[in-house]
């Protein structure tokens, strides 16, 4: 095997171990659940990395490491029994209070972006900006289909679901030199959940769908900085759905990752971190 083919996985495995050594897990109790979070870096600005489908506080560890030399970074994980978005919002507010943080710039990828919008709607005074990556709002028809599919998922064979999830991550990471590291790392979050926790994760997706903003009126009281990050080959959302998101935030600046798919933080990590740093550095 060519040496360069194994280096990325080896390097990332070492980076993860070093990251874990320098970032002990903190916890708060909120809504009867234990919420893990990580804290690193320092600076005048705080970036809050929102949890997504994977659910682990360390899912964006490479991005956190890339930002914390200049910014304070907090990353939050999801408890296994989490299913209702307001519980997440209150936990995030409690974590900010625990760390004596008044305002944050939220960074959410995919599902995490929808969670970010929901937190902004409930606690607008605590959000001084948002970075929404590889996300959009499903159209009415797609939302109906999504609800139907997620509604029957708990009744499908778990082995079959796990195979589909594993295949899906592999497909989204296709062509990435670090695929052999990221595919199992990202898949382990949902794959290792027991049935009750897996069902709760599905419920959380269903719960977020009616809560994110769908029209300008929803966010009239909040008009602060927004960065929208897109990929030219993202198959998760249609161009119409991505445009609907941009129309909600006329003040937003945007960046498109070329020859990239849905998992841009993992397939374009250097460019992703550079764009985020540039955006934060303007304020």
């Amino acid at each position: 095997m060519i040496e360069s083919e194994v280096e990325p996985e080896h390097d990332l495995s070492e980076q993860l171990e070093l990251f874990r050594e320098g970032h002990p897990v903190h916890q708060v109790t909120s809504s009867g659940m234990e919420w893990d979070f990580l804290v690193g870096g320092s600076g005048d600005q705080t970036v809050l990395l929102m949890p997504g489908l994977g659910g682990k506080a360390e899912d964006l560890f490479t991005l956190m490491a890339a930002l914390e030399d200049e910014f304070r970074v907090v990353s939050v994980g999801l408890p296994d029994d989490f299913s209702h978005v307001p519980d997440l919002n209150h936990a995030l507010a409690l974590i900010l209070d625990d760390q004596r943080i008044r305002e944050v710039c939220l960074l959410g990828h995919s599902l995490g972006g929808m969670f970010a919008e929901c937190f902004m709607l409930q606690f607008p005074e605590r959000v001084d900006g948002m970075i929404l990556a590889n996300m959009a709002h499903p159209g009415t028809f797609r939302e109906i289909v999504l609800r139907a599919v997620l509604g029957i998922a708990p009744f499908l064979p778990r082995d079959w679901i796990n195979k589909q999830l594993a295949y899906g991550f592999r497909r989204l990471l296709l062509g990435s030199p670090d695929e052999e590291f990221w595919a199992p790392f990202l898949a382990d979050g949902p794959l290792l959940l027991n049935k009750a926790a897996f069902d709760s994760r599905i419920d959380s997706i269903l719960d977020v769908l009616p809560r994110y903003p769908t029209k300008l009126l929803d966010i009239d009281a909040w008009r602060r900085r927004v960065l929208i990050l897109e990929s030219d080959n993202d198959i998760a959302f249609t161009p119409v759905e991505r445009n609907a998101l941009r129309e909600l935030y006329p003040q937003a600046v945007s960046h498109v990752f070329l020859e990239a798919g849905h998992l841009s933080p993992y397939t374009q990590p250097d460019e992703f971190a550079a764009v985020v740093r540039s955006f934060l550095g303007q304020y």
Side-chain angles (χ1 to χ4, degrees), residues 63-76:
L63 177 63
M64 185 170 181
L67 296 177
E68 61 187 8
D69 64 334
E70 189 174 352
F71 308 100
R72 192 175 190 188
V73 187
V74 179
S75 186
V76 181

Side-chain angles (χ1 to χ4, degrees), residues 2 21 39 42 46 51 85 107 111 132-133 138 148 152 164 171 179 182 185 193 201 207 231-232 252 270:
I2 299 173
E21 291 176 9
V39 181
S42 61
T46 299
V85 173
L107 191 158
L111 176 63
L132 306 175
I152 65 172
Q164 300 308 307
R171 182 186 178 198
E179 175 187 344
W182 286 121
F185 177 84
L193 296 174
R201 191 62 52 83
D207 192 56
S231 298
D232 59 351
D270 294 339

